[in-house]
Amino acid sequence: IEFWMMDPFIYDEGTHRGGDLYINLGDVSEDILKDSRKFFEQGLPGPGEPFDVDSTAWGYIPKQQSLVNAFSNDAETRMMQDLGLNGMNSEKERSFYRQGNDSFLELIDNMYNNLQLSEEAYASIINDPAADDFKYFRGSEHDRRQASILERYKYYNNPEGNSRPSEYSGESFSTAATNIPDGEDINRDNTLSESENYFQYKITLQPGQMEIGQNYITDITSNSVKLENGNTEEVTWYQFKIPVNTPDSVIGDLDDLRSVRFMRMFLHNFEDTVVLRFASLDLIRAEWRRYEKELYDIRDNVSP
């Protein structure tokens, strides 16, 4: 695994403690909301259709089978189906997550009342309890606030509302990220795999320890770059090369990399916000391979 990463602590003022980047290669569970049920947006009912769904701790699951991986051509039906992986819009989430004793939103209320949450954080949770609302990177709201690149793409990967029909976009252009329904079927083979068998690689990212020879860093380059605001800054890029045949740990039942289906990346142990900017992320191989058997065979009586 080879990639170039911009210095993640370029704007650190000496307070960031860093954390770890993990990469998994192998079989990864497609059951994102852990309930052993396969969710697919196109299975949710449209206008006037029976509410034929099951309820779980996370939300709603369609009862019918997933036959076609596509939305209905009807715009109103798509609006009722484009709800994210819990099958609910934010309004429904606010009531659903208050059901029962010690509900999620009741715990949030208690944290806010005990001054453990700021007003901004509390309002953000109440407005979107599942934190799954999609926002397109273009729009009049972003322009009015002169939003930065990070702000514009912060919610771009969220599933609720990411397939909105153009007539409901509220803009003069389409604000949909995809026309494919979201679901718990990453490789689209119409089955829900819950297997967790993978090789795991750990890359520690900490200020002061970004040096060649440590944490898979093989090259460092620094350049002075003129920014759009006219300023010039020194920017450092790090090249990482991770040998896939020597994982830091093996999870589950996996002997080799001949049946890798998925790659998963996640961050852990970070106490502060971090942005990882990748210039490249590749799986590479060399034409030469290491011969791992003995070169000398006593029966040949020939030295290598």
Side-chain angles (χ1 to χ4, degrees), residues 5-6 28 107 112 114 131 158 171 178 202 210 240 264 273 292 302:
M5 179 194 295
M6 182 176 156
V28 174
L107 295 175
Y112 176 67
N114 292 327
N158 286 352
E171 303 285 352
T178 178
K202 176 183 176 182
M210 306 287 285
F240 294 77
R264 175 170 61 191
T273 301
E292 298 181 347
V302 177

Side-chain angles (χ1 to χ4, degrees), residues 45-256:
E49 297 179 359
F51 196 63
D52 191 21
V53 297
D54 280 337
S55 177
T56 71
W58 303 104
Y60 296 126
I61 299 287
K63 288 184 179 180
Q64 59 180 308
Q65 294 294 319
S66 173
L67 301 177
V68 179
N69 191 31
F71 281 114
S72 167
N73 290 327
D74 179 63
E76 292 187 10
T77 300
R78 178 179 294 197
M79 289 293 292
M80 294 186 65
Q81 293 178 336
D82 184 21
L83 301 178
L85 299 180
N86 61 2
M88 300 184 294
N89 58 23
S90 297
E91 181 180 358
K92 181 61 180 178
E93 290 168 0
R94 284 190 282 272
S95 60
F96 187 90
Y97 294 137
R98 285 195 181 277
Q99 298 176 4
N101 297 325
D102 296 327
S103 67
F104 168 63
L105 289 183
E106 184 179 342
L107 295 175
I108 294 299
D109 290 341
N110 292 336
M111 292 179 65
Y112 176 67
N113 294 331
N114 292 327
L115 304 180
Q116 294 175 296
L117 282 177
S118 66
E119 289 191 16
E120 182 181 3
Y122 179 73
S124 177
I125 296 173
I126 295 300
N127 289 336
D128 181 20
D132 63 349
D133 284 0
F134 167 85
K135 288 185 179 179
Y136 196 60
F137 63 89
R138 290 179 58 199
S140 53
E141 180 185 352
H142 287 315
D143 296 339
R144 178 176 52 80
R145 295 189 295 105
Q146 296 184 333
S148 66
I149 291 293
L150 292 180
E151 290 178 306
R152 288 175 178 269
Y153 283 94
K154 185 175 182 179
Y155 304 101
Y156 188 78
N157 286 330
N158 286 352
E160 182 184 332
N162 64 344
S163 301
R164 187 180 298 272
S166 57
E167 53 263 46
Y168 289 95
S169 70
E171 303 285 352
S172 59
F173 49 85
S174 173
T175 58
T178 178
N179 60 359
I180 304 297
D182 293 300
E184 294 174 305
D185 185 12
I186 301 174
N187 60 354
R188 300 177 185 176
D189 62 354
N190 290 324
T191 60
L192 176 69
S193 172
E194 298 181 74
S195 300
E196 290 278 0
N197 305 300
Y198 52 84
F199 286 177
Q200 180 161 278
Y201 311 88
K202 176 183 176 182
I203 303 99
T204 298
L205 304 174
Q206 293 183 349
Q209 297 187 18
M210 306 287 285
E211 300 178 2
I212 293 178
Q214 296 185 10
N215 296 309
Y216 304 111
I217 296 177
T218 58
D219 195 6
I220 300 175
T221 181
S222 297
N223 293 285
S224 294
V225 179
K226 187 174 182 179
L227 307 180
E228 289 293 330
N229 59 9
N231 296 335
T232 299
E233 290 189 8
E234 186 80 7
V235 179
T236 301
W237 288 84
Y238 299 90
Q239 184 187 50
F240 294 77
K241 289 185 178 181
I242 306 168
V244 295
N245 60 344
T246 55
D248 293 290
S249 58
V250 180
I251 309 300
D253 184 18
L254 188 66
D255 297 325
D256 52 50

Side-chain angles (χ1 to χ4, degrees), residues 29-37 58 184 194 196 264:
S29 174
E30 297 175 292
D31 191 19
I32 300 172
L33 301 182
K34 302 299 182 182
D35 53 13
S36 298
R37 302 287 300 276
W58 303 104
E184 294 174 305
E194 298 181 74
E196 290 278 0
R264 175 170 61 191

Side-chain angles (χ1 to χ4, degrees), residues 241-303:
K241 289 185 178 181
I242 306 168
V244 295
N245 60 344
T246 55
D248 293 290
S249 58
V250 180
I251 309 300
D253 184 18
L254 188 66
D255 297 325
D256 52 50
L257 292 166
R258 287 181 294 182
S259 61
V260 170
R261 295 198 299 165
F262 302 115
M263 179 177 182
R264 175 170 61 191
M265 302 174 65
F266 62 92
L267 302 177
H268 189 51
N269 292 326
F270 282 91
E271 297 180 356
D272 201 353
T273 301
V274 67
V275 178
L276 304 187
R277 299 170 174 88
F278 292 84
S280 64
L281 177 59
D282 303 302
L283 287 172
I284 64 171
R285 69 181 181 92
E287 295 299 326
W288 296 92
R289 297 187 181 183
R290 184 184 298 274
Y291 186 76
E292 298 181 347
K293 297 182 180 180
E294 292 290 338
L295 291 176
Y296 175 70
D297 191 333
I298 193 172
R299 293 173 298 178
D300 297 334
N301 197 27
V302 177
S303 298

